[in-house]
Each structure stands twice: as C-alpha cells, then as structure tokens.
C-alpha cells in the first residue's frame, strides 16, 4: 500500500531522556497539527532529526528511541554535532535564513557550511529512499532541505514529490548573490509541486528559475526536460478550532484555576482599567523587527505623551538559535533597549514594557492573546506569521485590534487588520493611536471577516489542498489533450507506417530535429541527423519534407546537396529533389520597409536581441535577452505592430523566443495541405515544437499522425518530451 512520507528538519515529537528513561512527547506546533490529516494511521511516516545529536544519544537507548518514534509514525535521521553546526546553525541559519529574509549583510557564504548542507540533505534523501517505495508520495518541508527533492528524484524518477517553503523566497536580485544558487534551484526542481505562502514568493522563484537556469516557464508551470513542475501558493492557516476552543475554555475558567500569569494580567487590569495592553510575540529573531518595534513604541510615547501610563507593551521573545552570533547580539540589544526605556519612562505605578525572554506553555499563550487589547506584530520580513492569525482566532467576543506589518505573508490575507510599514515610525505611532481609540463596533466588524476566513482556510485545509494538488499532478493532470507517444502507441504508429504504400512526412527543424542554440546559425545538423534523414529520404514510397521558418540560404547550405524536399520561410519557398528554391506562394513584401525600422528600434533597446531578415518575412529573436525583459518587449512589439499593420495582409507569429512578421497567406498549414493535395497518400505525418507548427496540426486531415515536441498545449494528437525522443521515433520509421 502506498504511503505519504513527510520530511522536515525536526520531527513532530520531542524526546526526553531522564534517569536513563525515555519519553516521546508529540509537539503541538502549527505544522504538526496541520499535518494531522496527512500524517495519520499506518499510511504515513514522518522523517526528521530527533533533536538529539549522535553524541547525545546514549548507545543503549538507540533501539528504544527508534521504537518510541515508530509509535508516533516517525523515523529519525542521525546527525552529528558537527553536521548540526554546519547544516543547521551554519548554512540554514547563517546563509539561507538571512538571505531569504533580505538581510544580505548577515549572510555568510562559507564553502564548509555548503558542503555539510549537501551531505546532510543527502542523509535525509537516503533516509527517504530507505523507508519508502516507488508509489509513495513525498512531502518535503522548508529551507533546510532544499536539495532533497532532486536527490530523491535521482533514485526514484517516478515518485511524486512535493516541497513547501515556509519562509519567503526573495527577489532574483537578492537570490542571485548566493554562490550555489543554481544548485539550490535544481535541488528544488526535483519536485513535482513547489508551494509557497504567497504569490509574490512564487513569482520571485519563477523569475530566478527563468533567469538563472534559462528554463521555459508558462504561467506557473516550469518545463524541464520531459517534466512539468507546478509552482503554486498555499497560504498556511492555523488550527483555528484549537485556539478558539482554548479561548472559550479560558473564559469559563474559575478564578481559582487562573494561571499565575493570568492573575498578574488581571491585577494589572484591575489597578488601571483604562490602560490598554499591547502584545507582541515572536521568536527572538532579527527578521521579526523586535528592536525596531521597541524604538517605535518609544517614538509613540514621545509623540503622544498623553498615553504614558495608559498603555503597556508586553513582549514575549522566544529563545531561538542562540548558537548563532547574530542572535546573541540581538538579545543583548533588546535587553539594553528595554532596560533603557523602562529606566527612563517608568513611574511609580507604571512600567511601559513587560519583557519575557522565554517559551511559555500553550495556556499562557492563550492568557496573553485573550487579555491583550491590541496585537502589534512588526516583522521586517516574515514568510507568513501565524501569531497574527492565532490572536484573531482567540478573540471570541470579536474585539481586539491587530496591527500587522505589510512585510508578513499573512498581511495578504488579513486586509481588515491595520497594516503598517515597520520602518515608518510616524505611521506606527498614528496607527497605535488609532488602535487604542478604535470603537468596539469597528473592531468587531473587522474581526468578523478575519475570523470567517481563518476558520474556513485552516491548517488542515491548507495541508489537504497541497496534497490534493500534488496527487492530481501525479495522476497526470493533463496540461493538454494530446496523448503522450508511449511505447505502445509508437509501436502501433510504426506498424501503420510499415503497412502504408504512400507516405508523406513533414518534419520541422529547430526544436524538433535539433535543440536550440543561442545563435541559430550554430544549430547545424549533426552526422547522426544527416544519416537519419538520408535513411528516410531514400526509403521507397516515402516523401519527406523538411518544413521550417528558416531562410532559404541556410537550408540551401545545409541540405540542398542532400536533395531533401524542403519548404522554408513557413511556406514561401519550396525545393524538391535538390533543385533551386522556387516560390510556392506569391507574396508581397512592401510592408517590410515599414516594419524593419520598428524592429531595429527594438534591437537597440533590447540588448541581446537581433533581426533575422528573410525574403518575405522578418523575425525578431530574443533568446539571448533576459527572459522577463524579452517577454515584456515582445508584448510591447506586438502592440506596436498591431497598430502599424492596419489593413496590410500580414500577420505576427509569436514563436519560441521569436516574433515573426510575414504575409498572412503563408503558413506551414497551408503549405503542407497544398503538398498533400498533389497525390494520394495513405500515411501523413507532421512533427514540430512551435506555435507555427500548430497550423499543420490544425489543417492536416484527421487521419494524419501529428506530434508536438514538448509539453505545451497543442492541437497535435500526440506529444513527445524531447528532441531525443523525436530521433528515436524517426529511427523506428527508418527501420521499417
Ligand atoms: C516560520 C516562518 C511561518 C510562539 N511563542 C510561543 C509559542 N509560539 C508559537 C506561536 C506560533 C509559532 O510559535 C510561531 O509561528 P510564526 O509563524 O509566527 O513564526 P516562525 O516560528 O518564524 O515560523 C513563518 C511559519 O514558519 C509557518 O510556515 O509563518 O513566517 O518564519 O504558532 O503560537 N508557542 C508556545 N509558547 C510560546 O512561548 N507554546
């Protein structure tokens, strides 16, 4: 039976060893809860680091640990202290974390860290291979394991692999500074589905893939060899019910059952009923903007001194990655800031900031959420920020104001919150005032929307949506209606070919018989191709046509001596049996004088692009330009041409990194149908990769065997994934 394998840096259980005994306690984190529906029963396994390094694991407990983990559906990856240093505290948290959160100056590019990151990712991949079978579905989590998808794909080419990134994916300008940027992208592209919290992260990722790897991207599909990788955004939700229920239980608590923290909070409320509590909760991390927030709070108190003694800021900073120097410095900075501000502003009855540097039990978290009038979350960069969502979920009477940084992924879904730029102190001071004075009705109206959304799109829905999308993909969600040219189909087509008595073959050249080159002149035929074409050309009862958009000079040079039949410039010229090219179509070329200067101006403004001048058409190539820029310019060119063309009988073809302008009555469809009409053929075959080949696929009769190269949408009956496969197919014909 196939199962789901979840893989993350940490396991969702904590091991506790005391007096030689062992305890495995399930953790209650958002991910662990979210995955409940995915990680259930005996059909799933969660692989990760147990939290104990090899050195810290007593040898005699090893077996017991495995057993305890197994009971929770988990298996561990063993890591040494040195591996943990290089992989987790090193590459993950001193290179990737700062870089992906736009703290370029904190990012350390250490070869040693990178090497250990690779080794450890391989360990995780090996663990997956050891614990899984071919039909299993694998879901890899987060930035610590970005190479795992490709490492698994290498050994399990047909396994369904999903990857979710919990932190932002930065813009191309930031990402490209990483010395191992291509390797990281290639690692991720081992997946079938790559998920991000927001559309912006998705967009940034796709842009890096196009620019750094030069891959074709169409909407949110990436075309890589014979695979299509889907990229999508899945904003992570919370376990809404858990927070809501906890808040309800909290409200029903008797006085005696209150926690110490709640007693302190209640005392505060009783002593100063008008004082508002402002809450912030984060891991102590520079990306969360804690120091800036404290400064902004001081700014607020100075700008609006009437609120002194009327507000109190509670900061819960949860210890995190204290082995990393930046975090130690930050801790010191915050300690000093809180000390200074409290020292300067405190009065006998009032301390402006209550600061906790610790992790609190869940119940205390609920005490804080439910007792605070305002939640003030100001990350400088945050993948999502679940605290914002949790605060809203606990507001059972729907009061409370959320002030949230625009830089948090959650801001995209929480428009009804007061959104701020954490660098703008003026705006924050004014927003705090607005929050403090916001009428209850307005609070309720805003939170109603927020709560409805959070309840609906909770963490379980999030996990199921991701898995659903991954499963649909592996079940072969079709990007087009054409069938893959499988071995069985190829066999059948081959038989038909062998049995036929008069065959007509149309073969496109670039992207079909050969791959693309940055310089089209360099894409000349190789020996193997000549041999293959000779074999087909010399076959009895077979008429072979090379059919291309290329100019006649190039094809004369490459193929005339071979005497192959050729149609070039999309159908303007024809050459049969080695004769000079003749006009197949009467075309007018006056329009060219008008269009050429336009194309020239585009060449001037688009570095890397050039014009190909053919006899009756002009082509503007942009394969060597920056891909995004090239596409943008191509769209612009289309607009300019549309207004320029007017009533002229010419059309614009948008091919693969080329915009071609030619007479309307010329296309490969019309040309191929003309040839077809010259005789009675009982086997007609056309193959091509480009938009321009679609004319053939559309216009040839239904009985024709039409084949698209690549996975893009097509009118062809079949598709093959690569030029390599085209040759296999044609060799099969040649052998008949
Ligand atoms: C990463 C991304 C993304 C906090 N203090 C205590 C405590 N917490 C819990 C909160 C919340 C979680 O920790 C923090 O989640 P965040 O989303 O706010 O932030 P990160 O830890 O940085 O998480 C982030 C997330 O991954 C998910 O994809 O949203 O952007 O950086 O659930 O409740 N829990 C307890 N005691 C505490 O003192 N029990």
């Amino acid at each position: 039976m196939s199962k789901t394998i979840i893989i993350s840096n940490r396991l969702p259980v904590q091991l506790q060893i005391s007096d030689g005994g062992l305890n495995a306690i399930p953790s209650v984190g958002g991910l662990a809860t979210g995955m409940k529906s995915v990680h259930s029963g005996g059909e799933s396994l969660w692989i990760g680091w147990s939290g104990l390094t090899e050195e810290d694991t007593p040898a005699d407990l090893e077996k017991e640990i495995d057993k305890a983990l197994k009971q929770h559906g988990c298996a561990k990856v063993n890591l040494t202290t040195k591996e943990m240093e290089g992989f987790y505290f090193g590459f993950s948290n001193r290179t990737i974390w700062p870089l992906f959160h736009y703290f370029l100056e904190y990012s350390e590019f250490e070869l040693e860290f990178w090497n250990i990151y690779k080794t450890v990712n391989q360990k995780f991949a090996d663990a997956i291979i050891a614990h899984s079978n071919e039909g299993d579905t694998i879901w890899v989590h987060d930035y610590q394991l970005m190479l795992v998808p490709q490492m698994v794909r290498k050994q399990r080419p047909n396994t369904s692999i999903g990857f979710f990134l919990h932190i932002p994916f930065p813009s191309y300008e930031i990402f490209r500074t990483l010395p191992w940027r291509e390797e990281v992208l290639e690692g991720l592209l081992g997946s079938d589905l790559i998920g991000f919290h927001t559309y912006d992260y998705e967009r940034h990722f796709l842009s890096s893939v196009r620019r750094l790897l030069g891959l074709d991207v169409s909407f949110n599909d990436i075309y890589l060899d014979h695979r299509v990788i889907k990229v999508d955004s899945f904003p992570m939700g919370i376990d809404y019910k858990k927070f809501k229920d906890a808040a309800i239980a909290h409200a029903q608590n008797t006085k005696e059952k209150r926690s110490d923290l709640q007693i302190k909070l209640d005392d505060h409320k009783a002593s100063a009923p008008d004082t508002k509590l402002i809450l912030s909760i984060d891991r102590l991390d520079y990306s969360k903007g804690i120091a800036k927030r404290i400064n902004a709070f001081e700014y607020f108190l100075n700008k609006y001194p009437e609120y002194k003694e009327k507000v109190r800021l509670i900061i819960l900073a949860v210890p995190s990655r204290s082995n990393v120097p930046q975090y130690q410095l930050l801790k010191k900075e915050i300690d000093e800031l809180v000390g200074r501000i409290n020292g300067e502003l405190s009065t006998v009855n009032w301390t402006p900031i209550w600061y906790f540097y610790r992790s609190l039990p869940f119940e205390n978290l609920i005490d804080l959420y439910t007792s605070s009038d305002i939640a003030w979350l100001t990350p400088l960069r945050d993948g999502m920020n679940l605290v914002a969502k949790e605060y809203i979920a606990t507001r059972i009477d729907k009061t409370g104001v959320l002030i949230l940084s625009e830089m948090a992924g959650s801001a995209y879904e929480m428009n009804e919150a007061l959104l701020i730029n954490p660098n703008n102190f003026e705006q924050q001071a004014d927003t705090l005032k607005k929050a403090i004075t916001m009428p209850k009705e307005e609070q309720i109206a805003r939170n109603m929307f927020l709560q409805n959304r959070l309840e609906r799109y909770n963490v379980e829905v999030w996990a199921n949506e991701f898995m659903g999308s991954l499963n649909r993909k592996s079940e072969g969600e079709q990007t087009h209606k054409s069938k893959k040219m499988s071995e069985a189909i190829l066999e059948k087509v081959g038989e038909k070919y062998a049995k036929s008595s008069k065959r007509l073959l149309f073969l496109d050249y670039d992207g079909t018989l050969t791959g693309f080159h940055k310089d089209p002149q360099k894409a000349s035929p190789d020996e193997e191709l000549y041999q293959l074409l000779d074999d087909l050309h010399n076959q009895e009862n077979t008429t072979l046509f090379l059919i291309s958009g290329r100019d006649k000079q190039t094809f004369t040079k490459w193929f005339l001596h071979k005497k192959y039949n050729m149609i070039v410039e999309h159908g303007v010229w024809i050459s049969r049996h080695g004769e000079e090219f003749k006009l197949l179509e009467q075309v007018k070329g006056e329009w060219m004088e008008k269009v050429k200067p336009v194309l020239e101006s585009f060449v001037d403004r688009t570095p890397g692009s050039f014009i190909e001048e053919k006899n009756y058409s002009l082509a503007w190539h942009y394969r060597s330009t920056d891909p995004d820029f090239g596409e943008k310019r191509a769209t612009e060119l289309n607009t300019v041409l549309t207004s320029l063309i007017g009533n002229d009988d010419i059309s614009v073809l948008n091919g693969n990194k080329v915009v071609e302008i030619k007479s309307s009555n010329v296309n490969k469809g019309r040309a191929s149908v003309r040839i077809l009409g010259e005789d009675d053929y009982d086997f007609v075959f056309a193959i091509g990769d480009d938009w321009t080949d679609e004319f053939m696929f559309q216009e040839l009769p239904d009985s024709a065997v039409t084949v698209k190269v690549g996975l893009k949408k097509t009118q062809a009956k079949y598709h093959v994934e690569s030029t390599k496969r085209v040759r296999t197919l044609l060799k099969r014909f040649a052998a008949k």
Side-chain angles (χ1 to χ4, degrees), residues 414-437:
M414 304 187 86
N415 247 314
E416 293 79 6
L418 299 180
L419 300 182
I420 50 97
N421 173 354
N423 301 306
N424 186 342
F425 282 19
E426 204 66 42
Q427 182 200 29
Q428 291 204 73
D430 296 345
T431 308
L432 278 172
K433 183 167 180 242
K434 182 172 175 184
I436 293 165
T437 55

mmCIF file of all heavy atoms in Angstrom, residues 414-437:
data_model
loop_
_atom_site.group_PDB
_atom_site.id
_atom_site.type_symbol
_atom_site.label_atom_id
_atom_site.label_comp_id
_atom_site.label_asym_id
_atom_site.label_seq_id
_atom_site.Cartn_x
_atom_site.Cartn_y
_atom_site.Cartn_z
ATOM 1 N N MET A 414 -4.999 39.354 5.382
ATOM 2 C CA MET A 414 -5.595 39.980 6.565
ATOM 3 C C MET A 414 -5.757 41.480 6.351
ATOM 4 O O MET A 414 -5.295 42.293 7.147
ATOM 5 C CB MET A 414 -4.736 39.668 7.800
ATOM 6 C CG MET A 414 -4.545 38.171 7.999
ATOM 7 S SD MET A 414 -3.727 37.733 9.526
ATOM 8 C CE MET A 414 -5.080 37.677 10.681
ATOM 9 N N ASN A 415 -6.413 41.779 5.276
ATOM 10 C CA ASN A 415 -6.602 43.175 4.899
ATOM 11 C C ASN A 415 -7.368 44.004 5.904
ATOM 12 O O ASN A 415 -7.230 45.222 5.955
ATOM 13 C CB ASN A 415 -7.351 43.220 3.564
ATOM 14 C CG ASN A 415 -6.447 43.768 2.503
ATOM 15 O OD1 ASN A 415 -5.778 44.780 2.742
ATOM 16 N ND2 ASN A 415 -6.381 43.110 1.364
ATOM 17 N N GLU A 416 -8.188 43.339 6.710
ATOM 18 C CA GLU A 416 -9.003 44.077 7.679
ATOM 19 C C GLU A 416 -8.192 44.469 8.903
ATOM 20 O O GLU A 416 -8.667 45.226 9.752
ATOM 21 C CB GLU A 416 -10.219 43.241 8.103
ATOM 22 C CG GLU A 416 -11.237 42.997 7.001
ATOM 23 C CD GLU A 416 -10.825 41.890 6.042
ATOM 24 O OE1 GLU A 416 -9.792 41.233 6.299
ATOM 25 O OE2 GLU A 416 -11.518 41.703 5.021
ATOM 26 N N ALA A 417 -6.968 43.948 9.013
ATOM 27 C CA ALA A 417 -6.091 44.377 10.116
ATOM 28 C C ALA A 417 -5.571 45.774 9.782
ATOM 29 O O ALA A 417 -5.735 46.257 8.662
ATOM 30 C CB ALA A 417 -4.936 43.401 10.256
ATOM 31 N N LEU A 418 -4.913 46.427 10.743
ATOM 32 C CA LEU A 418 -4.283 47.720 10.435
ATOM 33 C C LEU A 418 -2.876 47.389 9.929
ATOM 34 O O LEU A 418 -2.027 46.937 10.699
ATOM 35 C CB LEU A 418 -4.230 48.596 11.681
ATOM 36 C CG LEU A 418 -5.582 48.952 12.316
ATOM 37 C CD1 LEU A 418 -5.383 49.833 13.551
ATOM 38 C CD2 LEU A 418 -6.505 49.648 11.313
ATOM 39 N N LEU A 419 -2.664 47.575 8.655
ATOM 40 C CA LEU A 419 -1.375 47.187 8.063
ATOM 41 C C LEU A 419 -0.404 48.361 8.103
ATOM 42 O O LEU A 419 -0.768 49.494 7.787
ATOM 43 C CB LEU A 419 -1.575 46.707 6.624
ATOM 44 C CG LEU A 419 -2.500 45.497 6.465
ATOM 45 C CD1 LEU A 419 -2.592 45.076 4.997
ATOM 46 C CD2 LEU A 419 -2.043 44.313 7.316
ATOM 47 N N ILE A 420 0.823 48.073 8.501
ATOM 48 C CA ILE A 420 1.820 49.150 8.624
ATOM 49 C C ILE A 420 3.146 48.734 7.981
ATOM 50 O O ILE A 420 3.414 47.561 7.773
ATOM 51 C CB ILE A 420 2.094 49.513 10.106
ATOM 52 C CG1 ILE A 420 2.379 48.243 10.936
ATOM 53 C CG2 ILE A 420 0.938 50.279 10.711
ATOM 54 C CD1 ILE A 420 3.787 47.918 11.146
ATOM 55 N N ASN A 421 3.953 49.751 7.700
ATOM 56 C CA ASN A 421 5.328 49.517 7.263
ATOM 57 C C ASN A 421 6.204 49.640 8.513
ATOM 58 O O ASN A 421 6.246 50.704 9.144
ATOM 59 C CB ASN A 421 5.690 50.583 6.221
ATOM 60 C CG ASN A 421 7.150 50.538 5.839
ATOM 61 O OD1 ASN A 421 7.946 49.786 6.420
ATOM 62 N ND2 ASN A 421 7.523 51.340 4.864
ATOM 63 N N PRO A 422 6.895 48.568 8.905
ATOM 64 C CA PRO A 422 7.606 48.596 10.189
ATOM 65 C C PRO A 422 8.732 49.640 10.243
ATOM 66 O O PRO A 422 9.233 49.945 11.320
ATOM 67 C CB PRO A 422 8.178 47.180 10.302
ATOM 68 C CG PRO A 422 8.188 46.637 8.921
ATOM 69 C CD PRO A 422 7.042 47.285 8.205
ATOM 70 N N ASN A 423 9.105 50.175 9.097
ATOM 71 C CA ASN A 423 10.171 51.188 9.098
ATOM 72 C C ASN A 423 9.621 52.606 9.242
ATOM 73 O O ASN A 423 10.391 53.548 9.328
ATOM 74 C CB ASN A 423 10.972 51.097 7.790
ATOM 75 C CG ASN A 423 11.574 49.725 7.623
ATOM 76 O OD1 ASN A 423 12.271 49.250 8.517
ATOM 77 N ND2 ASN A 423 11.273 49.059 6.524
ATOM 78 N N ASN A 424 8.305 52.721 9.222
ATOM 79 C CA ASN A 424 7.697 54.046 9.275
ATOM 80 C C ASN A 424 7.158 54.315 10.686
ATOM 81 O O ASN A 424 6.057 53.903 11.047
ATOM 82 C CB ASN A 424 6.576 54.095 8.223
ATOM 83 C CG ASN A 424 5.982 55.474 8.092
ATOM 84 O OD1 ASN A 424 6.130 56.315 8.964
ATOM 85 N ND2 ASN A 424 5.303 55.700 6.970
ATOM 86 N N PHE A 425 7.958 54.985 11.509
ATOM 87 C CA PHE A 425 7.601 55.212 12.918
ATOM 88 C C PHE A 425 6.399 56.146 13.049
ATOM 89 O O PHE A 425 5.560 55.986 13.924
ATOM 90 C CB PHE A 425 8.796 55.799 13.684
ATOM 91 C CG PHE A 425 9.829 54.758 14.045
ATOM 92 C CD1 PHE A 425 9.886 53.540 13.386
ATOM 93 C CD2 PHE A 425 10.737 54.992 15.066
ATOM 94 C CE1 PHE A 425 10.828 52.582 13.719
ATOM 95 C CE2 PHE A 425 11.680 54.041 15.418
ATOM 96 C CZ PHE A 425 11.733 52.834 14.740
ATOM 97 N N GLU A 426 6.374 57.127 12.166
ATOM 98 C CA GLU A 426 5.274 58.094 12.197
ATOM 99 C C GLU A 426 3.947 57.351 12.018
ATOM 100 O O GLU A 426 2.989 57.520 12.773
ATOM 101 C CB GLU A 426 5.490 59.076 11.040
ATOM 102 C CG GLU A 426 4.851 60.423 11.206
ATOM 103 C CD GLU A 426 5.463 61.223 12.362
ATOM 104 O OE1 GLU A 426 6.695 61.212 12.520
ATOM 105 O OE2 GLU A 426 4.683 61.810 13.100
ATOM 106 N N GLN A 427 3.940 56.512 10.975
ATOM 107 C CA GLN A 427 2.721 55.755 10.665
ATOM 108 C C GLN A 427 2.367 54.819 11.827
ATOM 109 O O GLN A 427 1.197 54.670 12.188
ATOM 110 C CB GLN A 427 2.955 54.943 9.380
ATOM 111 C CG GLN A 427 1.746 54.156 8.916
ATOM 112 C CD GLN A 427 2.111 53.008 7.969
ATOM 113 O OE1 GLN A 427 3.209 52.443 8.052
ATOM 114 N NE2 GLN A 427 1.208 52.679 7.063
ATOM 115 N N GLN A 428 3.397 54.208 12.418
ATOM 116 C CA GLN A 428 3.116 53.264 13.506
ATOM 117 C C GLN A 428 2.566 53.972 14.728
ATOM 118 O O GLN A 428 1.647 53.485 15.391
ATOM 119 C CB GLN A 428 4.384 52.495 13.868
ATOM 120 C CG GLN A 428 4.784 51.551 12.768
ATOM 121 C CD GLN A 428 5.627 50.421 13.315
ATOM 122 O OE1 GLN A 428 5.109 49.538 13.989
ATOM 123 N NE2 GLN A 428 6.906 50.439 13.009
ATOM 124 N N ALA A 429 3.119 55.130 15.031
ATOM 125 C CA ALA A 429 2.622 55.882 16.188
ATOM 126 C C ALA A 429 1.145 56.241 15.973
ATOM 127 O O ALA A 429 0.307 56.050 16.864
ATOM 128 C CB ALA A 429 3.463 57.145 16.388
ATOM 129 N N ASP A 430 0.842 56.700 14.769
ATOM 130 C CA ASP A 430 -0.552 57.075 14.472
ATOM 131 C C ASP A 430 -1.469 55.857 14.494
ATOM 132 O O ASP A 430 -2.626 55.919 14.928
ATOM 133 C CB ASP A 430 -0.645 57.761 13.097
ATOM 134 C CG ASP A 430 0.116 59.087 13.083
ATOM 135 O OD1 ASP A 430 0.453 59.579 14.185
ATOM 136 O OD2 ASP A 430 0.401 59.608 11.992
ATOM 137 N N THR A 431 -0.935 54.737 13.999
ATOM 138 C CA THR A 431 -1.745 53.504 13.967
ATOM 139 C C THR A 431 -2.010 52.997 15.387
ATOM 140 O O THR A 431 -3.107 52.518 15.688
ATOM 141 C CB THR A 431 -1.051 52.423 13.117
ATOM 142 O OG1 THR A 431 -0.735 52.988 11.854
ATOM 143 C CG2 THR A 431 -1.934 51.209 12.915
ATOM 144 N N LEU A 432 -1.002 53.105 16.250
ATOM 145 C CA LEU A 432 -1.222 52.698 17.648
ATOM 146 C C LEU A 432 -2.345 53.537 18.260
ATOM 147 O O LEU A 432 -3.230 53.011 18.939
ATOM 148 C CB LEU A 432 0.064 52.882 18.459
ATOM 149 C CG LEU A 432 1.090 51.743 18.350
ATOM 150 C CD1 LEU A 432 2.394 52.125 19.028
ATOM 151 C CD2 LEU A 432 0.545 50.455 18.984
ATOM 152 N N LYS A 433 -2.308 54.820 17.955
ATOM 153 C CA LYS A 433 -3.352 55.709 18.499
ATOM 154 C C LYS A 433 -4.728 55.286 17.951
ATOM 155 O O LYS A 433 -5.710 55.195 18.688
ATOM 156 C CB LYS A 433 -3.045 57.154 18.101
ATOM 157 C CG LYS A 433 -4.020 58.127 18.673
ATOM 158 C CD LYS A 433 -3.529 59.555 18.534
ATOM 159 C CE LYS A 433 -4.556 60.498 19.132
ATOM 160 N NZ LYS A 433 -5.111 61.417 18.177
ATOM 161 N N LYS A 434 -4.740 54.991 16.662
ATOM 162 C CA LYS A 434 -5.999 54.578 16.040
ATOM 163 C C LYS A 434 -6.509 53.275 16.683
ATOM 164 O O LYS A 434 -7.716 53.120 16.937
ATOM 165 C CB LYS A 434 -5.759 54.355 14.541
ATOM 166 C CG LYS A 434 -6.996 53.979 13.772
ATOM 167 C CD LYS A 434 -6.746 53.954 12.288
ATOM 168 C CE LYS A 434 -7.993 53.437 11.585
ATOM 169 N NZ LYS A 434 -7.825 53.296 10.168
ATOM 170 N N ALA A 435 -5.575 52.369 16.956
ATOM 171 C CA ALA A 435 -5.964 51.082 17.556
ATOM 172 C C ALA A 435 -6.516 51.292 18.957
ATOM 173 O O ALA A 435 -7.528 50.693 19.340
ATOM 174 C CB ALA A 435 -4.756 50.144 17.585
ATOM 175 N N ILE A 436 -5.837 52.170 19.712
ATOM 176 C CA ILE A 436 -6.259 52.408 21.101
ATOM 177 C C ILE A 436 -7.660 53.034 21.148
ATOM 178 O O ILE A 436 -8.472 52.715 22.016
ATOM 179 C CB ILE A 436 -5.224 53.339 21.808
ATOM 180 C CG1 ILE A 436 -3.889 52.593 21.956
ATOM 181 C CG2 ILE A 436 -5.722 53.806 23.165
ATOM 182 C CD1 ILE A 436 -2.711 53.487 22.291
ATOM 183 N N THR A 437 -7.935 53.859 20.167
ATOM 184 C CA THR A 437 -9.218 54.577 20.191
ATOM 185 C C THR A 437 -10.279 53.957 19.273
ATOM 186 O O THR A 437 -11.351 54.536 19.096
ATOM 187 C CB THR A 437 -8.992 56.051 19.769
ATOM 188 O OG1 THR A 437 -8.338 56.035 18.491
ATOM 189 C CG2 THR A 437 -8.148 56.813 20.753
#
